Coordinates of all heavy atoms in Angstrom, one line a residue:
M1 N -15.5 1.3 -21.2 CA -16.1 2.4 -20.6 C -16.0 2.2 -19.0 O -16.1 1.1 -18.5 CB -17.6 2.5 -21.0 CG -18.4 3.6 -20.3 SD -20.0 3.7 -21.1 CE -20.1 5.5 -21.2
M2 N -15.8 3.2 -18.3 CA -15.6 3.1 -16.9 C -17.1 3.1 -16.2 O -17.9 3.8 -16.6 CB -14.8 4.4 -16.4 CG -14.4 4.4 -15.0 SD -13.5 5.8 -14.3 CE -12.2 6.0 -15.5
S3 N -17.1 2.2 -15.2 CA -18.4 2.2 -14.4 C -18.7 3.4 -13.6 O -17.8 4.2 -13.4 CB -18.3 1.0 -13.5 OG -17.4 1.2 -12.4
C4 N -19.9 3.6 -13.2 CA -20.2 4.6 -12.4 C -19.4 4.8 -11.1 O -19.0 5.9 -10.7 CB -21.7 4.5 -11.9 SG -22.4 5.9 -11.0
R5 N -19.2 3.6 -10.4 CA -18.3 3.6 -9.3 C -16.9 4.1 -9.6 O -16.3 4.7 -8.8 CB -18.3 2.2 -8.6 CG -19.5 1.8 -7.8 CD -19.1 0.6 -7.1 NE -20.2 -0.4 -7.3 CZ -20.2 -1.6 -7.0 NH1 -19.1 -2.2 -6.5 NH2 -21.2 -2.4 -7.3
G6 N -16.3 3.6 -10.8 CA -15.1 4.1 -11.2 C -15.0 5.6 -11.4 O -14.0 6.2 -10.9
V7 N -16.0 6.1 -12.0 CA -16.1 7.6 -12.2 C -16.1 8.3 -10.8 O -15.5 9.3 -10.5 CB -17.2 8.0 -13.1 CG1 -17.4 9.5 -13.1 CG2 -17.0 7.4 -14.4
L8 N -17.0 7.9 -9.9 CA -17.1 8.4 -8.5 C -15.8 8.3 -7.9 O -15.4 9.3 -7.2 CB -18.3 7.7 -7.9 CG -18.5 8.1 -6.5 CD1 -18.9 9.6 -6.4 CD2 -19.5 7.3 -5.7
G9 N -15.1 7.2 -7.9 CA -13.9 7.0 -7.2 C -12.8 8.1 -7.7 O -12.1 8.6 -7.0
F10 N -12.8 8.2 -9.1 CA -11.9 9.2 -9.7 C -12.1 10.6 -9.1 O -11.3 11.3 -8.7 CB -12.0 9.2 -11.2 CG -11.4 10.3 -11.8 CD1 -10.0 10.2 -12.0 CD2 -12.1 11.4 -12.2 CE1 -9.4 11.4 -12.6 CE2 -11.4 12.6 -12.8 CZ -10.1 12.5 -13.0
W11 N -13.4 11.0 -9.1 CA -13.7 12.3 -8.6 C -13.4 12.4 -7.2 O -12.9 13.6 -6.7 CB -15.1 12.7 -9.0 CG -15.3 13.1 -10.4 CD1 -15.9 12.4 -11.4 CD2 -14.7 14.2 -11.1 NE1 -15.7 13.0 -12.6 CE2 -15.0 14.1 -12.4 CE3 -13.9 15.3 -10.6 CZ2 -14.6 15.0 -13.3 CZ3 -13.6 16.3 -11.5 CH2 -13.8 16.2 -12.9
L12 N -13.7 11.5 -6.3 CA -13.3 11.5 -5.0 C -11.8 11.8 -4.8 O -11.3 12.5 -3.9 CB -13.9 10.3 -4.1 CG -15.4 10.2 -4.0 CD1 -15.7 8.9 -3.4 CD2 -15.8 11.4 -3.1
V13 N -11.0 11.0 -5.4 CA -9.6 11.1 -5.4 C -9.1 12.5 -5.9 O -8.3 13.1 -5.3 CB -8.9 10.0 -6.1 CG1 -7.4 10.2 -6.3 CG2 -9.1 8.7 -5.5
F14 N -9.7 12.9 -7.0 CA -9.3 14.2 -7.6 C -9.7 15.3 -6.7 O -8.8 16.2 -6.4 CB -10.0 14.3 -8.9 CG -9.8 15.7 -9.6 CD1 -8.5 15.9 -10.2 CD2 -10.7 16.6 -9.5 CE1 -8.2 17.1 -10.8 CE2 -10.4 17.9 -10.1 CZ -9.2 18.2 -10.8
L15 N -10.8 15.4 -6.1 CA -11.2 16.3 -5.2 C -10.4 16.4 -4.0 O -10.0 17.4 -3.4 CB -12.7 16.3 -4.9 CG -13.6 16.6 -6.1 CD1 -15.1 16.4 -5.7 CD2 -13.5 18.1 -6.5
S16 N -10.0 15.3 -3.4 CA -9.2 15.1 -2.2 C -7.9 15.8 -2.5 O -7.3 16.5 -1.7 CB -9.1 13.7 -1.8 OG -10.3 13.2 -1.4
Y17 N -7.4 15.4 -3.7 CA -6.0 16.0 -4.1 C -6.1 17.5 -4.2 O -5.1 18.2 -3.7 CB -5.6 15.4 -5.5 CG -4.3 15.9 -6.0 CD1 -3.1 15.6 -5.6 CD2 -4.5 16.8 -7.1 CE1 -2.0 16.0 -6.1 CE2 -3.3 17.4 -7.6 CZ -2.1 17.0 -7.1 OH -0.9 17.6 -7.6
M18 N -7.1 18.0 -4.8 CA -7.2 19.4 -5.0 C -7.3 20.1 -3.6 O -6.7 21.2 -3.4 CB -8.4 19.8 -5.8 CG -8.3 19.3 -7.3 SD -6.8 20.0 -8.1 CE -7.1 21.7 -8.1
V19 N -8.1 19.5 -2.7 CA -8.2 20.1 -1.3 C -6.8 20.2 -0.6 O -6.4 21.1 0.0 CB -9.1 19.4 -0.5 CG1 -9.1 19.8 1.0 CG2 -10.6 19.7 -1.0
C20 N -6.1 19.0 -0.8 CA -4.7 19.0 -0.1 C -3.8 20.0 -0.7 O -3.1 20.6 0.0 CB -4.2 17.6 -0.3 SG -5.0 16.4 0.7
C21 N -3.8 20.2 -2.1 CA -3.0 21.2 -2.7 C -3.3 22.6 -2.3 O -2.5 23.3 -2.0 CB -3.2 21.0 -4.2 SG -2.3 19.5 -4.9
T22 N -4.5 22.8 -2.2 CA -5.0 24.2 -1.8 C -4.6 24.4 -0.4 O -4.1 25.5 -0.1 CB -6.6 24.3 -2.0 OG1 -6.9 24.0 -3.3 CG2 -7.1 25.6 -1.5
V23 N -4.8 23.4 0.5 CA -4.4 23.6 2.0 C -2.9 23.9 2.0 O -2.5 24.8 2.8 CB -4.8 22.4 2.8 CG1 -4.2 22.4 4.1 CG2 -6.4 22.4 2.9
A24 N -2.1 23.0 1.4 CA -0.7 23.2 1.4 C -0.2 24.5 0.8 O 0.6 25.2 1.3 CB 0.0 22.1 0.6
W25 N -0.9 25.0 -0.3 CA -0.5 26.2 -0.9 C -0.8 27.4 0.0 O -0.1 28.4 0.0 CB -1.2 26.4 -2.2 CG -0.8 27.5 -3.1 CD1 -1.5 28.7 -3.2 CD2 0.3 27.6 -3.9 NE1 -0.8 29.6 -4.0 CE2 0.3 28.9 -4.5 CE3 1.3 26.8 -4.3 CZ2 1.3 29.4 -5.3 CZ3 2.3 27.2 -5.2 CH2 2.3 28.5 -5.7
N26 N -1.9 27.4 0.7 CA -2.4 28.5 1.4 C -1.7 28.6 2.8 O -2.0 29.6 3.6 CB -3.9 28.5 1.6 CG -4.6 28.9 0.3 OD1 -4.1 29.5 -0.6 ND2 -5.7 28.3 0.0
G27 N -1.1 27.6 3.2 CA -0.3 27.6 4.5 C -1.3 27.5 5.7 O -1.2 28.2 6.7
L28 N -2.2 26.6 5.7 CA -3.1 26.3 6.8 C -2.4 26.0 8.0 O -1.3 25.2 8.0 CB -3.9 25.1 6.4 CG -5.1 24.8 7.3 CD1 -6.2 25.9 7.2 CD2 -5.8 23.5 6.9
S29 N -2.8 26.6 9.1 CA -2.1 26.3 10.5 C -3.0 26.0 11.5 O -4.2 26.0 11.3 CB -1.3 27.6 10.8 OG -2.1 28.6 11.3
R30 N -2.5 25.6 12.6 CA -3.3 25.2 13.8 C -4.2 26.3 14.2 O -5.3 26.1 14.7 CB -2.3 24.8 14.9 CG -3.1 24.6 16.3 CD -3.9 23.3 16.1 NE -4.5 22.9 17.3 CZ -5.8 23.1 17.5 NH1 -6.6 23.7 16.6 NH2 -6.4 22.7 18.6
N31 N -3.9 27.6 14.0 CA -4.6 28.8 14.5 C -5.8 28.8 13.5 O -6.7 29.7 13.8 CB -3.8 30.0 14.3 CG -2.6 30.0 15.3 OD1 -2.7 29.4 16.4 ND2 -1.5 30.7 14.9
D32 N -5.9 28.2 12.4 CA -7.2 28.2 11.6 C -8.2 27.4 12.2 O -9.5 27.3 11.5 CB -6.7 27.7 10.1 CG -5.8 28.7 9.4 OD1 -5.9 29.9 9.7 OD2 -4.9 28.2 8.8
F33 N -8.1 26.7 13.2 CA -9.1 25.7 13.8 C -9.5 26.3 15.2 O -8.7 26.9 15.8 CB -8.6 24.4 13.9 CG -8.3 23.7 12.6 CD1 -6.9 23.9 12.0 CD2 -9.2 23.0 11.9 CE1 -6.7 23.4 10.7 CE2 -8.9 22.4 10.7 CZ -7.7 22.6 10.1
P34 N -10.7 26.0 15.6 CA -11.3 26.5 16.8 C -10.5 25.9 18.0 O -9.9 24.8 17.9 CB -12.7 26.2 16.8 CG -12.9 25.1 15.8 CD -11.8 25.2 14.9
E35 N -10.4 26.5 19.1 CA -9.8 26.0 20.4 C -10.5 24.8 20.8 O -11.7 24.6 20.7 CB -9.9 27.0 21.5 CG -9.2 26.6 22.8 CD -9.2 27.7 23.8 OE1 -9.4 28.9 23.5 OE2 -9.2 27.3 25.0
G36 N -9.7 23.7 21.1 CA -10.2 22.4 21.4 C -10.4 21.4 20.4 O -10.9 20.3 20.5
F37 N -10.2 22.0 19.0 CA -10.4 21.1 17.9 C -9.4 19.9 18.0 O -8.1 20.2 18.3 CB -10.1 21.9 16.7 CG -10.4 21.0 15.4 CD1 -11.7 20.9 14.8 CD2 -9.3 20.4 14.7 CE1 -11.9 20.1 13.7 CE2 -9.6 19.6 13.6 CZ -10.8 19.6 13.2
I38 N -9.8 18.7 17.8 CA -9.0 17.6 17.9 C -8.8 16.9 16.5 O -9.7 16.7 15.8 CB -9.6 16.5 18.8 CG1 -9.7 17.0 20.3 CG2 -8.8 15.2 18.8 CD1 -10.5 16.1 21.1
F39 N -7.5 16.9 16.1 CA -7.2 16.3 14.8 C -7.2 14.8 14.9 O -6.9 14.2 15.9 CB -5.7 16.8 14.3 CG -5.7 18.3 14.0 CD1 -5.4 19.1 15.0 CD2 -6.0 18.7 12.7 CE1 -5.4 20.5 14.7 CE2 -6.0 20.0 12.4 CZ -5.7 21.0 13.4
G40 N -7.4 14.1 13.8 CA -7.4 12.6 13.8 C -7.0 12.2 12.5 O -7.0 12.8 11.4
T41 N -6.5 11.0 12.5 CA -6.1 10.3 11.3 C -6.7 8.9 11.2 O -7.1 8.4 12.3 CB -4.6 10.3 11.0 OG1 -4.1 9.4 12.1 CG2 -4.1 11.6 11.0
A42 N -6.6 8.3 10.1 CA -7.1 6.8 9.9 C -6.3 6.1 8.9 O -5.9 6.7 7.9 CB -8.6 6.8 9.7
S43 N -6.2 4.9 9.0 CA -5.6 4.1 7.9 C -6.3 2.6 8.0 O -7.0 2.4 9.0 CB -4.1 3.9 8.1 OG -3.7 3.3 9.2
S44 N -5.9 1.9 7.2 CA -6.4 0.4 7.2 C -5.3 -0.6 6.9 O -4.4 -0.2 6.2 CB -7.6 0.3 6.2 OG -7.0 0.3 5.0
A45 N -5.5 -1.8 7.3 CA -4.5 -2.8 7.0 C -4.4 -3.0 5.5 O -3.2 -3.1 5.0 CB -4.9 -4.1 7.7
Y46 N -5.4 -2.8 4.8 CA -5.4 -2.9 3.3 C -4.4 -1.9 2.7 O -3.7 -2.3 1.8 CB -6.7 -2.7 2.8 CG -6.9 -3.0 1.3 CD1 -6.9 -4.2 0.8 CD2 -6.9 -1.9 0.3 CE1 -7.0 -4.5 -0.6 CE2 -7.0 -2.1 -1.0 CZ -7.0 -3.4 -1.5 OH -7.1 -3.7 -2.8
Q47 N -4.2 -0.7 3.3 CA -3.3 0.2 2.7 C -1.9 -0.1 3.0 O -0.9 0.4 2.3 CB -3.6 1.6 3.3 CG -4.9 2.2 2.9 CD -5.3 3.4 3.8 OE1 -5.2 3.3 5.0 NE2 -5.7 4.5 3.2
Y48 N -1.7 -0.9 4.0 CA -0.2 -1.1 4.5 C 0.3 -2.5 4.2 O 1.5 -2.6 3.9 CB -0.1 -0.8 6.0 CG -0.1 0.7 6.3 CD1 -1.4 1.2 6.7 CD2 0.9 1.5 6.1 CE1 -1.5 2.6 6.9 CE2 0.8 2.8 6.4 CZ -0.4 3.3 6.8 OH -0.5 4.7 7.0
E49 N -0.5 -3.5 4.5 CA 0.0 -4.8 4.3 C 0.5 -5.4 3.1 O 1.5 -5.9 3.0 CB -1.0 -5.8 5.0 CG -1.2 -5.7 6.4 CD -2.2 -6.6 7.0 OE1 -2.8 -7.3 6.2 OE2 -2.4 -6.6 8.3
G50 N -0.4 -5.3 2.0 CA 0.0 -5.9 0.8 C -0.1 -7.5 1.0 O -0.9 -8.0 1.7
A51 N 0.8 -8.2 0.4 CA 0.9 -9.7 0.5 C -0.4 -10.3 0.3 O -0.8 -11.2 1.0 CB 1.5 -10.0 1.9
Y52 N -1.1 -9.9 -0.8 CA -2.4 -10.6 -1.2 C -2.1 -12.1 -1.4 O -1.1 -12.4 -1.9 CB -2.8 -9.9 -2.4 CG -4.0 -10.7 -3.1 CD1 -5.3 -10.7 -2.4 CD2 -3.8 -11.5 -4.3 CE1 -6.3 -11.4 -3.1 CE2 -4.8 -12.3 -4.8 CZ -6.0 -12.2 -4.2 OH -7.2 -12.9 -4.7
N53 N -2.9 -12.8 -0.7 CA -2.9 -14.3 -0.8 C -1.7 -15.0 -0.4 O -1.2 -15.9 -1.0 CB -3.2 -14.6 -2.3 CG -3.9 -16.0 -2.4 OD1 -4.4 -16.5 -1.5 ND2 -3.8 -16.5 -3.6
E54 N -1.0 -14.4 0.6 CA 0.2 -15.0 1.2 C 0.0 -15.3 2.7 O -0.7 -14.7 3.4 CB 1.4 -14.0 1.0 CG 1.9 -13.9 -0.3 CD 3.2 -13.1 -0.4 OE1 4.1 -13.3 0.4 OE2 3.3 -12.2 -1.4
G55 N 0.8 -16.2 3.3 CA 0.9 -16.5 4.6 C -0.4 -16.9 5.2 O -0.7 -16.6 6.4
G56 N -1.3 -17.5 4.5 CA -2.6 -17.9 5.0 C -3.7 -16.8 5.0 O -4.7 -16.9 5.5
R57 N -3.3 -15.6 4.6 CA -4.2 -14.5 4.5 C -5.3 -14.7 3.5 O -5.0 -15.0 2.3 CB -3.4 -13.2 4.2 CG -4.4 -12.0 4.1 CD -3.4 -10.8 3.7 NE -4.2 -9.6 3.6 CZ -4.7 -9.1 2.5 NH1 -4.6 -9.8 1.3 NH2 -5.4 -8.0 2.4
G58 N -6.5 -14.7 3.9 CA -7.6 -14.8 3.0 C -8.0 -13.5 2.3 O -7.5 -12.4 2.7
A59 N -8.9 -13.6 1.3 CA -9.2 -12.3 0.7 C -10.2 -11.5 1.5 O -11.2 -12.1 2.2 CB -9.9 -12.7 -0.7
S60 N -9.9 -10.2 1.5 CA -10.8 -9.3 2.3 C -11.9 -8.8 1.3 O -11.8 -9.0 0.1 CB -10.0 -8.2 2.8 OG -9.6 -7.3 1.8
I61 N -12.9 -8.1 1.9 CA -13.8 -7.5 1.0 C -13.2 -6.5 0.1 O -13.7 -6.5 -1.2 CB -15.0 -6.8 1.9 CG1 -16.2 -6.5 1.1 CG2 -14.4 -5.7 2.6 CD1 -17.3 -6.1 1.7
W62 N -12.2 -5.8 0.4 CA -11.5 -5.0 -0.5 C -10.8 -5.7 -1.6 O -10.6 -5.1 -2.7 CB -10.6 -4.0 0.2 CG -11.4 -2.9 0.8 CD1 -11.8 -2.7 2.1 CD2 -12.1 -1.8 0.1 NE1 -12.6 -1.6 2.2 CE2 -12.7 -1.0 1.0 CE3 -12.2 -1.4 -1.2 CZ2 -13.6 0.1 0.7 CZ3 -12.9 -0.3 -1.6 CH2 -13.5 0.5 -0.7
D63 N -10.1 -6.8 -1.2 CA -9.5 -7.6 -2.3 C -10.4 -8.0 -3.3 O -10.2 -7.9 -4.5 CB -8.8 -8.8 -1.6 CG -7.6 -8.5 -0.8 OD1 -6.9 -7.7 -1.1 OD2 -7.5 -9.2 0.3
T64 N -11.6 -8.5 -2.8 CA -12.6 -8.9 -3.8 C -13.1 -7.8 -4.7 O -13.2 -7.9 -5.9 CB -13.8 -9.6 -3.0 OG1 -13.3 -10.7 -2.2 CG2 -14.9 -10.2 -3.9
F65 N -13.4 -6.6 -4.1 CA -13.9 -5.5 -4.8 C -12.8 -5.0 -5.8 O -13.2 -4.8 -6.9 CB -14.2 -4.4 -3.7 CG -14.6 -3.1 -4.4 CD1 -15.9 -2.9 -5.0 CD2 -13.6 -2.1 -4.6 CE1 -16.2 -1.7 -5.6 CE2 -14.1 -0.9 -5.2 CZ -15.4 -0.7 -5.7
S66 N -11.6 -4.8 -5.4 CA -10.6 -4.3 -6.3 C -10.1 -5.2 -7.4 O -9.6 -4.8 -8.4 CB -9.4 -3.9 -5.5 OG -8.6 -4.9 -4.9
H67 N -10.5 -6.5 -7.3 CA -10.0 -7.4 -8.3 C -11.2 -7.5 -9.4 O -10.9 -8.2 -10.4 CB -9.7 -8.7 -7.8 CG -8.4 -8.8 -7.1 ND1 -8.2 -9.5 -5.9 CD2 -7.2 -8.1 -7.3 CE1 -7.0 -9.3 -5.5 NE2 -6.3 -8.4 -6.4
K68 N -12.2 -6.9 -9.2 CA -13.3 -6.9 -10.1 C -13.0 -5.7 -11.2 O -13.0 -4.5 -10.7 CB -14.7 -6.6 -9.5 CG -15.8 -6.8 -10.4 CD -17.1 -6.7 -9.6 CE -18.2 -6.5 -10.7 NZ -19.5 -6.0 -9.9
K69 N -12.7 -6.0 -12.4 CA -12.4 -5.0 -13.4 C -13.4 -3.9 -13.5 O -14.6 -4.2 -13.6 CB -12.1 -5.8 -14.8 CG -11.1 -6.6 -14.8 CD -9.7 -6.1 -14.6 CE -8.6 -7.1 -14.7 NZ -7.5 -6.8 -14.0
G70 N -13.0 -2.7 -13.5 CA -13.9 -1.5 -13.7 C -14.4 -0.9 -12.5 O -15.0 0.2 -12.5
D71 N -14.1 -1.5 -11.3 CA -14.7 -0.9 -10.1 C -13.6 0.1 -9.5 O -14.1 1.0 -8.7 CB -14.9 -1.9 -9.1 CG -16.3 -2.6 -9.3 OD1 -17.1 -2.1 -10.1 OD2 -16.6 -3.6 -8.7
V72 N -12.4 0.1 -9.8 CA -11.4 1.0 -9.3 C -10.7 1.6 -10.5 O -10.3 1.0 -11.4 CB -10.4 0.2 -8.4 CG1 -9.3 1.0 -7.9 CG2 -11.1 -0.5 -7.3
L73 N -10.5 2.9 -10.4 CA -9.7 3.7 -11.4 C -8.5 2.9 -11.7 O -7.6 2.7 -10.9 CB -9.6 5.1 -11.0 CG -8.9 6.0 -12.0 CD1 -9.8 6.1 -13.2 CD2 -8.6 7.4 -11.4
G74 N -8.3 2.7 -13.1 CA -7.0 2.1 -13.5 C -6.8 0.7 -13.0 O -5.7 0.0 -13.1
N75 N -7.9 0.0 -12.6 CA -7.9 -1.4 -12.1 C -6.9 -1.7 -11.0 O -6.2 -2.6 -11.0 CB -7.8 -2.3 -13.3 CG -9.0 -2.3 -14.2 OD1 -10.1 -2.2 -13.7 ND2 -8.8 -2.3 -15.4
A76 N -6.6 -0.6 -10.3 CA -5.6 -0.7 -9.2 C -6.0 -1.6 -8.0 O -7.3 -1.9 -7.9 CB -5.2 0.7 -8.6
N77 N -5.2 -2.2 -7.3 CA -5.6 -3.0 -6.1 C -4.5 -2.9 -5.1 O -3.5 -2.3 -5.3 CB -5.8 -4.6 -6.6 CG -4.5 -5.1 -7.2 OD1 -3.5 -5.0 -6.6 ND2 -4.7 -5.7 -8.4
G78 N -4.6 -3.6 -4.0 CA -3.7 -3.5 -2.8 C -2.9 -4.7 -2.7 O -2.4 -5.1 -1.7
N79 N -2.6 -5.5 -3.8 CA -1.8 -6.7 -3.8 C -0.4 -6.4 -3.1 O 0.1 -7.2 -2.4 CB -1.7 -7.3 -5.1 CG -2.9 -7.9 -5.7 OD1 -4.0 -7.9 -5.0 ND2 -2.8 -8.4 -6.8
V80 N 0.1 -5.3 -3.5 CA 1.5 -4.9 -2.8 C 1.2 -3.8 -1.8 O 1.9 -3.9 -0.7 CB 2.4 -4.4 -4.0 CG1 3.7 -4.1 -3.4 CG2 2.7 -5.6 -5.0
A81 N 0.5 -2.8 -2.1 CA 0.3 -1.7 -1.2 C 1.6 -1.2 -0.7 O 2.5 -1.0 -1.5 CB -0.6 -2.1 -0.1
D82 N 1.8 -0.8 0.5 CA 3.1 -0.4 1.2 C 4.0 -1.6 1.4 O 5.1 -1.4 1.8 CB 2.9 0.4 2.4 CG 2.4 1.8 2.1 OD1 2.3 2.2 1.0 OD2 1.8 2.5 3.0
D83 N 3.4 -2.7 1.3 CA 4.1 -4.0 1.6 C 4.8 -4.2 2.9 O 6.0 -4.7 2.9 CB 5.2 -4.2 0.3 CG 5.5 -5.7 0.1 OD1 4.7 -6.5 0.5 OD2 6.6 -5.9 -0.4
Q84 N 4.1 -3.8 3.9 CA 4.7 -3.9 5.2 C 4.9 -5.4 5.6 O 5.6 -5.8 6.5 CB 3.8 -3.1 6.3 CG 4.0 -1.7 6.1 CD 5.4 -1.2 6.3 OE1 6.1 -1.5 7.3 NE2 5.9 -0.4 5.4
Y85 N 4.1 -6.2 5.0 CA 4.1 -7.7 5.2 C 5.5 -8.2 5.0 O 6.1 -9.0 5.8 CB 3.2 -8.5 4.3 CG 3.2 -10.0 4.6 CD1 2.2 -10.5 5.5 CD2 4.0 -10.8 3.8 CE1 2.2 -11.8 5.7 CE2 3.8 -12.2 4.0 CZ 3.0 -12.7 4.9 OH 3.0 -14.0 5.2
H86 N 6.3 -7.7 4.0 CA 7.6 -8.2 3.6 C 8.7 -7.2 4.3 O 9.9 -7.6 4.4 CB 7.9 -8.2 2.1 CG 7.0 -9.3 1.5 ND1 5.9 -9.0 0.7 CD2 7.0 -10.6 1.6 CE1 5.3 -10.2 0.3 NE2 6.0 -11.1 0.9
H87 N 8.3 -6.0 4.7 CA 9.3 -5.1 5.2 C 9.4 -5.0 6.8 O 10.2 -4.5 7.4 CB 9.0 -3.6 4.7 CG 9.3 -3.5 3.4 ND1 8.3 -3.7 2.4 CD2 10.5 -3.2 2.6 CE1 8.9 -3.5 1.1 NE2 10.2 -3.3 1.3
Y88 N 8.4 -5.7 7.4 CA 8.4 -5.7 8.9 C 9.6 -6.5 9.4 O 9.9 -7.6 9.0 CB 7.1 -6.5 9.3 CG 6.9 -6.5 10.8 CD1 6.5 -5.4 11.6 CD2 7.2 -7.7 11.5 CE1 6.4 -5.5 13.0 CE2 7.0 -7.8 12.9 CZ 6.7 -6.7 13.6 OH 6.6 -6.7 15.0
K89 N 10.2 -5.9 10.4 CA 11.3 -6.6 11.0 C 11.1 -6.6 12.6 O 10.7 -5.6 13.1 CB 12.6 -5.8 10.7 CG 13.0 -5.9 9.3 CD 14.2 -5.1 9.0 CE 14.6 -5.1 7.6 NZ 15.7 -4.2 7.2
V90 N 11.3 -7.7 13.2 CA 11.2 -7.8 14.6 C 12.5 -7.4 15.3 O 13.6 -7.8 14.9 CB 10.9 -9.3 15.0 CG1 10.8 -9.5 16.5 CG2 9.6 -9.8 14.4
S91 N 12.4 -6.5 16.2 CA 13.6 -6.1 17.0 C 14.2 -7.2 17.8 O 13.3 -7.9 18.5 CB 13.3 -4.8 17.7 OG 12.8 -3.8 17.0
P92 N 15.5 -7.3 17.9 CA 16.1 -8.3 18.8 C 15.8 -8.0 20.2 O 15.6 -7.1 20.7 CB 17.5 -8.3 18.4 CG 17.8 -7.0 17.7 CD 16.5 -6.6 17.3

């Protein structure tokens, strides 16, 4: 049985997906926002780095949370994520 947090997480992801689909379908544009509206985005290292337990990286609060069975839908975690830890290249 899925925990309450797991169910809540599922619905948050589902509703976010539905909003994104609706926005894309209806052709939302810059003109739909008031003058002076400032757009913003956010991300976290957890979403990009991956490399769980490598290179001296200690467990983050999200590593601990996502490794507890039943707290995340499908028991997903960020062990690999976008794996920028292994894809990062230093320019010469």
